[in-house]
Amino acid sequence: DVVEQLTPVPLDDLREESLQLVSKLKDCSSSCAVDVSAVWWEAAGCRELCVVTASESSVSLWKPLPAACWGRVYTWLFGEIPVIQIVPLPDTCNLVCIALGELEIGEIRLLLYSSENDSFKQSLVKTGNIKAVLGLKGRRLVSSSRTVQEQQVEIVSLSEAGRSKDGQTLMPPEETVLAFAEVEGMRDALVGTTAVNSVVVWNLKTGQLLRKMHIGYSYPASICHRAYSDAGLLFVVLSHPHAKESESCGNAAFRVIAFNPTTARSAAVTFSSLPPGHAGRQVPRGPRAGFVILGYLEGDVKDASAAAVLTSGAIAVWDLLLGCCVALLPPDPAGTWALARWATTTACLLAGQRDGTVCLYRY
Amino acid sequence: CSESDLGPISLNWFEELSAEAPS
């Protein structure tokens, strides 16, 4: 209701200047960049915000140098299974996880610096048919994995030295969990979205499945990114990368939905549409024929800001509370954007290209 | 969002659902 009363921001007012290029990093050894992330790393008593870049066969750690340059600190190499995702662990230092697999995640590995023997190491955290994984505060990792008979939702705690401590199992819903999000303002709550378009809520302390709330078929293929608890309501940021364009759905890339966990009822708060000229295109063939790919490839949400790469090759930034696009980064002349990630805060945006170039923008 | 849309709102929903849910 709120967003419908707002005047949309005209495209001319979307200022590229609100994203200021700070520095550029080029991984010359990388054949094809698959992910990028920011991570706190400490060396010689100095804690710095470093950048992690991933290609299919390697993951590199970069530290800031004077004159807006970046120096490679270390590169972890991997064998036959390709790297497909970096899994950052919030509020941690000298630790980052990665997911490896083909079409879906087959294993999760931890990359770390060990001060015990002054070396960079990697260790295996989990294997299986992993559908979703998320790094949680307090050096924990939650994942959903599936066997033929059952689904397992598990939390693994990691020690400072990177060793896996006792795991905890969460009660799984019947349907497959495809994404997780921590709930800001409620430390013991975790939400997930499922393959049949429900939002589920867990109690992390007890492992109980507290509530399953259907999102509605007008918002198909929803993925949760963030959740916030306030005034007895649960606000969940959802994206709809494969939504079918319709009167009810429009061309929204992100929505904020308010759920009342007591009654399982929900209401749309804001929706953030693709900027004009960047709307989706109809898929002519295949199982998704007739669907409209919304021009949203992949993105990241932090606090109340979302950033996503569009099929047009641009990166858009939205204010999710206002429900409007507030900045647009056109395709770089050297190549279109492939990755958009917030650093540890929304003050810094990491924009990546497939050739391994990562641009850091101050927002 | 109003209470008429969403039904009665409880500030203690997390504790209440935790007390009711199977463990």
Side-chain angles (χ1 to χ4, degrees), chain A residues 109 115 129 155 162 216 236 264 320 324-325:
Chain A
R109 287 183 171 270
S115 54
N129 296 317
I155 293 179
V236 183
L320 297 172
C324 62
C325 182

Side-chain angles (χ1 to χ4, degrees), chain A residues 222-289:
Chain A
S222 303
I223 298 290
C224 62
H225 290 263
R226 295 268 158 183
Y228 315 86
S229 173
D230 190 39
L233 296 174
L234 189 61
F235 296 87
V236 183
V237 178
L238 301 168
S239 73
H240 313 279
H242 302 298
K244 185 179 181 183
E245 198 168 57
S246 67
E247 205 171 290
S248 60
C249 203
N251 64 352
F254 294 92
R255 286 172 197 267
V256 180
I257 308 283
F259 290 92
N260 181 354
T262 303
T263 61
R265 288 194 215 165
S266 64
V269 179
T270 62
F271 57 90
S272 300
S273 299
L274 294 167
H278 294 267
R281 55 194 163 78
Q282 193 104 9
V283 179
R285 291 183 296 276
R288 288 196 174 274

Side-chain angles (χ1 to χ4, degrees), chain A:
Chain A
D1 289 339
V2 175
V3 76
E4 283 165 4
Q5 292 160 12
L6 294 169
T7 308
V9 178
L11 191 61
D12 292 345
D13 291 350
L14 295 176
R15 294 187 308 168
E16 191 187 335
E17 296 85 63
S18 61
L19 289 166
Q20 296 168 338
L21 182 63
V22 177
S23 63
K24 202 179 258 195
L25 177 162
K26 178 78 198 293
D27 188 352
C28 296
S29 64
S30 165
S31 53
C32 182
V34 296
D35 206 352
V36 62
S37 185
V39 61
W40 287 105
W41 213 271
E42 190 173 323
C46 180
R47 188 172 164 152
E48 294 174 304
L49 190 59
C50 294
V51 170
V52 177
T53 57
S55 72
E56 285 194 355
S57 59
S58 66
V59 174
S60 294
L61 174 71
W62 303 77
K63 66 177 279 185
L65 299 174
C69 291
W70 292 83
R72 191 198 309 258
V73 178
Y74 189 76
T75 296
W76 290 266
L77 297 173
F78 301 95
E80 289 176 6
I81 310 174
V83 179
I84 52 176
Q85 188 187 339
I86 295 171
V87 186
L89 294 159
D91 299 344
T92 59
C93 194
N94 294 10
L95 290 176
V96 66
C97 285
I98 55 160
L100 302 100
E102 300 285 348
L103 287 174
E104 56 186 41
I105 301 168
E107 63 180 47
I108 297 165
R109 287 183 171 270
L110 178 68
L111 311 182
L112 71 155
Y113 171 75
S114 168
S115 54
E116 282 175 18
N117 46 8
D118 189 27
S119 64
F120 289 89
K121 299 200 302 193
Q122 57 167 298
S123 63
L124 186 65
V125 175
K126 190 175 172 68
T127 58
N129 296 317
I130 299 163
K131 303 292 181 183
V133 59
L134 178 73
L136 305 177
K137 286 173 187 158
R139 286 198 305 274
R140 295 172 300 166
L141 203 66
V142 63
S143 63
S144 63
S145 53
R146 189 108 227 177
T147 62
V148 176
Q149 282 94 14
E150 59 175 14
Q151 176 176 218
Q152 188 188 42
V153 182
E154 188 190 32
I155 293 179
V156 174
S157 294
L158 302 161
S159 71
E160 276 188 48
R163 296 181 188 97
S164 302
K165 296 197 288 186
D166 292 342
Q168 184 200 353
T169 304
L170 303 184
M171 194 176 287
E174 285 169 16
E175 56 264 30
T176 305
V177 177
L178 298 180
F180 295 101
E182 275 192 288
V183 180
E184 289 180 32
M186 195 165 267
R187 186 176 162 77
D188 294 329
L190 178 75
V191 303
T193 38
T194 74
V196 296
N197 230 26
S198 291
V199 166
V200 288
V201 186
W202 288 277
N203 181 330
L204 282 175
K205 241 181 187 168
T206 62
Q208 290 166 294
L209 179 63
L210 299 182
R211 186 59 102 192
K212 190 163 76 177
M213 302 177 285
H214 199 247
I215 300 163
Y217 289 111
S218 54
Y219 313 117
S222 303
I223 298 290
C224 62
H225 290 263
R226 295 268 158 183
Y228 315 86
S229 173
D230 190 39
L233 296 174
L234 189 61
F235 296 87
V236 183
V237 178
L238 301 168
S239 73
H240 313 279
H242 302 298
K244 185 179 181 183
E245 198 168 57
S246 67
E247 205 171 290
S248 60
C249 203
N251 64 352
F254 294 92
R255 286 172 197 267
V256 180
I257 308 283
F259 290 92
N260 181 354
T262 303
T263 61
R265 288 194 215 165
S266 64
V269 179
T270 62
F271 57 90
S272 300
S273 299
L274 294 167
H278 294 267
R281 55 194 163 78
Q282 193 104 9
V283 179
R285 291 183 296 276
R288 288 196 174 274
F291 278 67
V292 170
I293 301 296
L294 282 170
Y296 156 74
L297 292 176
E298 62 93 52
D300 194 20
V301 178
K302 190 138 296 192
D303 300 326
S305 296
V309 177
L310 313 179
T311 47
S312 63
I315 288 177
V317 175
W318 291 269
D319 182 320
L320 297 172
L321 296 180
L322 295 174
C324 62
C325 182
V326 290
L328 195 64
L329 204 57
D332 188 84
T336 57
W337 301 112
L339 302 162
R341 298 276 183 272
W342 294 112
T344 50
T345 70
T346 56
C348 181
L349 180 74
L350 305 171
Q353 293 169 354
R354 284 280 171 240
D355 69 353
T357 303
V358 176
C359 296
L360 280 85
Y361 286 88
R362 185 179 293 123
Y363 172 58

Side-chain angles (χ1 to χ4, degrees), chain A residues 171 186 188-189 201-203 208-211 231-233 258 260-263 265-267 269, chain B:
Chain A
M171 194 176 287
M186 195 165 267
D188 294 329
V201 186
W202 288 277
N203 181 330
Q208 290 166 294
L209 179 63
L210 299 182
R211 186 59 102 192
L233 296 174
N260 181 354
T262 303
T263 61
R265 288 194 215 165
S266 64
V269 179
Chain B
C1 306
S2 68
E3 202 151 311
S4 59
D5 296 329
L6 296 167
I9 292 166
S10 169
L11 295 178
N12 301 317
W13 64 268
F14 189 76
E15 292 75 18
E16 288 166 7
L17 292 178
S18 296
E20 291 167 11
S23 51

